[in-house]
């Protein structure tokens, strides 16, 4: 049983999947930083110095000066600013994955090779495309 598990765990696909998960997690942290530290601050500045991660709706009915104060008091809050950050992160990741898949698909496409042989219309044998006479039946062929 241990041998079977070792074979399963060390298969190429399993290792590829593990590497993909590790790289994906690292990519997620980079995208999160990109959204929170690079994309959202200029957008917040354009919208009047808004910090999106501080946007929330207080559901308790009491007034709190900030999200941190409401959270510290245990008030129920809807953090829609954080949700907006997550949506933007998702869009950035989805676009990056789309671009990667697009490049991989372009590389995978098989190039259509020109045929090197054609069929003689008289004897149906395979002959070179450039041939003007069939070597089997000696019929004259149209030049291409």
């Amino acid at each position: 049983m241990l041998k079977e598990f070792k074979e399963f765990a060390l298969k190429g696909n399993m290792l590829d999947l593990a590497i993909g998960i590790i790289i994906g997690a690292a990519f997620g942290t980079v995208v999160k930083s990109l959204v929170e530290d690079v994309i959202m601050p200029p957008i917040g500045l354009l919208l009047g110095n808004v910090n999106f991660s501080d946007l929330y709706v207080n559901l308790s009915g009491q007034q709190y000066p900030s999200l941190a104060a409401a959270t510290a008091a245990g008030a129920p809050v809807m953090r829609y600013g954080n949700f907006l950050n997550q949506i933007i992160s998702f869009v950035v990741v989805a676009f990056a994955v789309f671009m990667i898949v697009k490049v991989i698909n372009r590389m995978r496409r098989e190039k259509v090779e020109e045929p090197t042989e054609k069929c003689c219309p008289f004897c149906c044998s395979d002959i070179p495309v450039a041939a003007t006479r069939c070597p089997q039946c000696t019929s004259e062929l149209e030049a291409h």
Side-chain angles (χ1 to χ4, degrees):
M1 182 184 257
L2 185 60
K3 182 180 176 184
E4 288 176 320
F5 177 74
K6 182 179 175 183
E7 287 175 11
F8 169 75
L10 296 179
K11 280 186 180 177
N13 293 342
M14 187 67 136
L15 292 175
D16 292 345
L17 179 63
I19 291 169
I21 290 171
I22 292 167
I23 290 174
F27 184 67
T29 59
V30 170
V31 168
K32 181 178 179 183
S33 175
L34 173 70
V35 170
E36 291 179 359
D37 302 331
V38 177
I39 295 175
M40 295 311 282
I43 293 173
L45 182 66
L46 290 173
L47 296 176
N49 286 336
V50 176
N51 183 357
F52 281 87
S53 29
D54 288 339
L55 297 177
Y56 71 101
V57 172
N58 181 3
L59 301 174
S60 70
Q62 297 178 351
Q63 293 292 333
Y64 294 100
S66 68
L67 174 62
T71 305
V77 292
M78 248 191 315
R79 300 175 185 180
Y80 68 91
N82 189 34
F83 182 68
L84 289 173
N85 283 343
Q86 297 302 324
I87 288 175
I88 293 171
S89 293
F90 172 77
V91 169
V92 170
V93 169
F95 182 73
V97 169
F98 168 75
M99 294 305 291
I100 290 169
V101 169
K102 187 174 178 178
V103 168
I104 290 172
N105 284 341
R106 187 179 308 141
M107 290 172 24
R108 278 189 185 171
R109 287 191 189 123
E110 295 178 19
K111 294 182 180 178
V112 178
E113 294 183 20
E114 294 293 324
T116 58
E117 292 184 338
K118 63 182 177 181
C119 182
C120 173
F122 302 102
C123 68
C124 296
S125 36
D126 290 333
I127 56 175
V129 172
T132 56
R133 184 177 290 270
C134 177
Q136 308 300 324
C137 67
T138 67
S139 300
E140 286 194 35
L141 308 168
E142 294 179 19
H144 291 283

